[in-house]
Amino acid sequence: MSDATDPWLIVGLGNPGPEYAANRHNVGFMVADLLAERIGGKFKRAQKAQAQVVEGRIGPPGPLSRRVVLAKPMSYMNLSGGPVSALRDFYKVPTDHVVAVHDELDVDFGVLRLKLGGGDNGHNGLKSMTKAMGADYHRVRFGIGRPPGRMQVADFVLKDFSSAERKELAFLVDRSADAVECLLAEGLERAQSAYNS
């Protein structure tokens, strides 16, 4: 069982490369980038995994400060599990101290949901992580809603946010980063009651 001194591994899920940077599927990277900015760190290539990482502390100085490794797997979404489990092993992070930040089709745009464990809902990044290390990790689910009309899911998640969505995006990414910080400092129940909209 994990304790307060164990590090946390915060994983923003996405696809590497500038052509994917603004896609709905890359909102996990956006949140990870903001968290890195908040702790004053820059992403560097990880030694032991196909990922970029930043190490630092999240939260106010004192007992609520948490040691964190922020990570962006560079393996493409559907292979995220390999880099994440390698980082978890290297940094000796208990699985319940791993947090995946990802886009979620079954949640409306603008809505956040936090949970521990559960299924992957057809999300290839989660599917890969669960296969590599089991399902007992936290998820910060950033709602993107369902594709309009007959658009295929794969096409929808690999498109950029709409212009209407982009007006709210910075606020929602900021709120998601706040939710991650709250989860680490105050636990899942407090974070759920504050951020599950």
Side-chain angles (χ1 to χ4, degrees):
M1 192 61 198
S2 53
D3 69 37
T5 61
D6 286 321
W8 286 78
L9 175 59
I10 315 298
V11 181
L13 291 179
N15 286 307
E19 68 273 33
Y20 298 107
N23 289 179
R24 291 182 176 93
H25 225 18
N26 269 45
V27 76
F29 276 17
M30 297 173 199
V31 175
D33 286 337
L34 178 58
L35 286 166
E37 204 178 291
R38 287 184 181 184
I39 65 173
K42 289 225 182 307
F43 278 99
K44 298 184 178 73
R45 227 174 78 209
Q47 299 289 313
K48 303 290 178 189
Q50 195 180 355
Q52 291 184 352
V53 295
V54 175
E55 294 178 57
R57 295 194 85 82
I58 281 181
L64 293 181
S65 174
R66 301 286 181 256
R67 194 157 65 90
V68 295
V69 179
L70 302 172
K72 297 191 296 185
M74 293 286 120
S75 56
Y76 290 98
M77 182 68 86
N78 57 354
L79 299 171
S80 301
V84 175
S85 64
L87 291 170
R88 181 200 58 170
D89 295 347
F90 179 70
Y91 289 103
K92 299 182 172 49
V93 178
T95 303
D96 68 349
H97 274 209
V98 176
V99 182
V101 184
H102 63 91
D103 57 305
E104 179 60 66
L105 287 160
D106 287 336
V107 175
D108 291 339
F109 178 77
V111 175
L112 268 188
R113 290 270 192 277
L114 285 82
K115 70 174 190 172
L116 173 62
D120 56 51
N121 258 10
H123 191 289
N124 288 331
L126 297 182
K127 199 177 286 184
S128 178
M129 281 181 62
T130 297
K131 188 174 173 194
M133 60 185 198
D136 295 328
Y137 53 90
H138 287 86
R139 297 104 194 273
V140 175
R141 304 158 72 206
F142 185 111
I144 60 168
R146 285 258 154 211
R150 294 176 174 228
M151 187 188 285
Q152 293 295 312
V153 164
D155 295 333
F156 179 68
V157 299
L158 293 175
K159 278 204 174 359
D160 291 358
F161 286 97
S162 70
S163 54
E165 289 169 339
R166 281 199 296 274
K167 291 189 177 104
E168 293 179 73
L169 189 59
F171 166 76
L172 296 170
V173 167
D174 196 62
R175 194 163 179 271
S176 303
D178 291 347
V180 170
E181 292 188 0
C182 181
L183 169 64
L184 270 56
E186 301 183 53
L188 181 61
E189 279 182 35
R190 281 295 295 276
Q192 284 174 325
S193 64
Y195 292 97
N196 278 15
S197 29

